[in-house]
Amino acid sequence: MRKILLGTTAVVGAALLGMTGAQAQTAPTVRVGGYFEFTGGYVNDDNDSSAITLTAPGRPNETVSRDKFDFRSDMEISIIVRGKAANGLSYGAEIELQMDANNTSSTAIDTDEMWGFISSPTLGTLQFGDQDSAADQLKVAAPGVTNLGESGGWDEFIAPGADGTRYILSTINDGSDSTKIIYLSPQFFGFDFGVSYAANQYEGENFLVGGSSTVLQRDPNAGSIRNELSGAIRYRGSFGNVGVAAAFSAMRGNAPDSHSAAVQLQDPNAYQAGLNLSAFGVTVGGHYMWGKYAGASFGRAGIRDGLGNSSNWTLGATYRAGAIAVGAFYSLGQRDNGNNLSDREQRAIGVGAVYTIAPGLEAFANYTNISDENIANNAQNPTSIVTRNRDIDVFILGTRLAF
């Protein structure tokens, strides 16, 4: 299947580059976009109660709870390059720089996505680089408003659970920016489709794993899924005053090599179906996802033999009138914990509102209640005979500037 996809994309690329026809060409132009977001959150979380032990020489240990209130800032800067060739092809690249909390300072800048493309209105678009999979780009998911959703702003304020995850609720290939090639078709009678291939889950330049030995990302024991294929077919159209969007997305991959490990892993897969209906400012819809996946990675990691399917589903609704938008959602995710443990079940219910102050400038408020039951020690390979339950309330106020 890998050879078929590589051959197909090569043919598409050659066809795109070989197009002829005299048109006005445009030299590459560069513009900068992005967003800045500031939020304040109030958190009432079972896991915060008596969570910290203070120690000092000569003094007895003291157990305290985490603070309930915090501020948070976030940003992303996009460098967007666009050009047009004399034969009518569009081409360009996009580099997204983000403030990443996965470091000691929580303010370091790294790349979120970086990818190039060539595009034809009749033959479609070929993308190459660190970009979302075709399954993710074309998916249809439950509607939402700014900062509100199944994995919206609430998960940025809470501590990880016993298994290291904050949430298991999201959509297919969540966050999968691994280096890949992607083909997206033009739209035909409301339908379009896409396919993508990634050799492994790493991104950027050659990835090296530290430790006692250096392992190339090409090695089968590097801990990455391999030969990830994804695809989707989507429909967008209208019937009278009702807009319709529907899609089916799928992915599969080879699990990391576990030949010498005590735990054998299954090849991951995931499938998602979604539908949205819109009329008179109201959008209602949802999505359902199922397959062999664990945690919040949704198809990007293998799970051990013996574990059954996972599932997620979300229903949502929004209403927009002028500068005001309101939304609500209900989401439920389930994971097989194995070892005679009850399934993990995470439920989230949220409501929120957004007000557009000026073009690109929004103020928002939302509330999310989360119930997380039977959290085992490890989402990929649960071995604990003890699970934990958790109830969380998160209130958020914030502002977002998009430019």
Side-chain angles (χ1 to χ4, degrees):
M1 295 179 71
R2 175 183 177 184
K3 291 181 179 178
I4 293 173
L5 181 57
L6 289 174
T8 301
T9 52
V11 170
V12 171
L16 289 173
L17 292 172
M19 289 180 59
T20 59
Q23 298 186 34
Q25 64 182 11
T26 304
T29 59
V30 180
R31 69 180 183 89
V32 176
Y35 70 85
F36 170 77
E37 184 175 282
F38 175 82
T39 49
Y42 175 83
V43 181
N44 184 29
D45 183 352
D46 289 349
N47 275 17
D48 289 343
S49 179
S50 302
I52 307 299
T53 299
L54 305 178
T55 61
R59 300 180 60 182
N61 292 346
E62 181 182 1
T63 301
V64 298
S65 299
R66 295 189 181 97
D67 293 336
K68 291 182 176 293
F69 184 74
D70 197 9
F71 289 124
R72 179 178 175 273
S73 57
D74 186 25
M75 72 85 181
E76 187 170 283
I77 297 174
S78 298
I79 302 170
I80 304 162
V81 182
R82 295 290 185 270
K84 190 172 184 179
N87 61 6
L89 285 177
S90 298
Y91 63 96
E94 188 162 333
I95 301 170
E96 296 179 358
L97 306 176
Q98 66 178 352
M99 183 166 68
D100 196 344
N102 295 320
N103 55 79
T104 55
S105 69
S106 294
T107 57
I109 302 295
D110 64 6
T111 59
D112 180 14
E113 297 172 348
M114 52 180 181
W115 49 277
F117 75 92
I118 51 177
S119 181
S120 159
T122 56
L123 293 178
T125 299
L126 184 66
Q127 299 175 341
F128 35 88
D130 304 351
Q131 167 66 310
D132 297 323
S133 69
D136 188 16
Q137 290 193 55
L138 300 185
K139 71 178 184 293
V140 171
V145 295
T146 302
N147 201 261
L148 175 73
E150 54 194 1
S151 57
W154 63 267
D155 69 90
E156 303 291 348
F157 281 96
I158 67 174
D163 67 341
T165 67
R166 291 177 170 87
Y167 68 95
I168 62 173
L169 303 169
S170 190
T171 54
I172 191 167
N173 282 176
D174 176 49
S176 178
D177 294 335
S178 55
T179 305
K180 59 176 68 71
I181 51 176
I182 306 157
Y183 171 71
L184 304 175
S185 78
Q187 193 170 11
F188 303 99
F189 306 105
F191 289 93
D192 57 349
F193 68 91
V195 292
S196 63
Y197 169 77
N200 48 60
Q201 71 183 47
Y202 300 119
E203 55 189 277
E205 293 191 83
N206 194 31
F207 186 90
L208 299 178
V209 178
S212 59
S213 62
T214 299
V215 181
L216 292 176
Q217 64 188 38
R218 294 181 284 106
D219 293 353
N221 63 343
S224 163
I225 66 168
R226 294 167 291 142
N227 300 322
E228 179 185 351
L229 288 171
S230 88
I233 183 169
R234 177 177 62 179
Y235 173 79
R236 292 171 295 172
S238 61
F239 298 87
N241 294 321
V242 180
V244 178
F248 174 76
S249 300
M251 70 76 57
R252 67 155 308 278
N254 298 127
D257 186 9
S258 54
H259 177 75
S260 59
V263 177
Q264 299 301 304
L265 300 178
Q266 304 176 63
D267 291 342
N269 59 62
Y271 308 91
Q272 178 173 318
L275 173 67
N276 283 342
L277 302 175
S278 302
F280 309 107
V282 177
T283 300
V284 296
H287 63 268
Y288 176 70
M289 189 172 67
W290 70 99
K292 294 282 187 181
Y293 53 85
S297 297
F298 304 123
R300 297 178 66 203
I303 59 174
R304 69 176 174 86
D305 284 344
L307 291 186
N309 281 355
S310 299
S311 66
N312 287 41
W313 62 268
T314 301
L315 297 175
T318 62
Y319 174 69
R320 299 180 182 273
I324 298 176
V326 295
F329 76 93
Y330 179 94
S331 187
L332 181 67
Q334 293 180 314
R335 302 289 181 272
D336 183 7
N337 276 330
N339 294 334
N340 298 316
L341 300 176
S342 298
D343 289 351
R344 180 178 180 179
E345 185 173 285
Q346 187 178 76
R347 173 196 53 77
I349 303 173
V351 294
V354 179
Y355 177 70
T356 301
I357 302 170
L361 180 61
E362 297 177 332
F364 54 83
N366 58 65
Y367 162 72
T368 307
N369 171 262
I370 304 97
S371 173
D372 205 348
E373 299 181 353
N374 304 316
I375 309 170
N377 277 349
N378 186 294
Q380 179 172 310
N381 178 31
T383 57
S384 172
I385 60 172
V386 178
T387 59
R388 295 191 60 182
N389 297 335
R390 184 180 189 184
D391 290 306
I392 312 167
D393 295 290
V394 182
F395 298 87
I396 295 175
L397 292 173
T399 183
R400 180 184 178 97
L401 172 62
F403 53 89

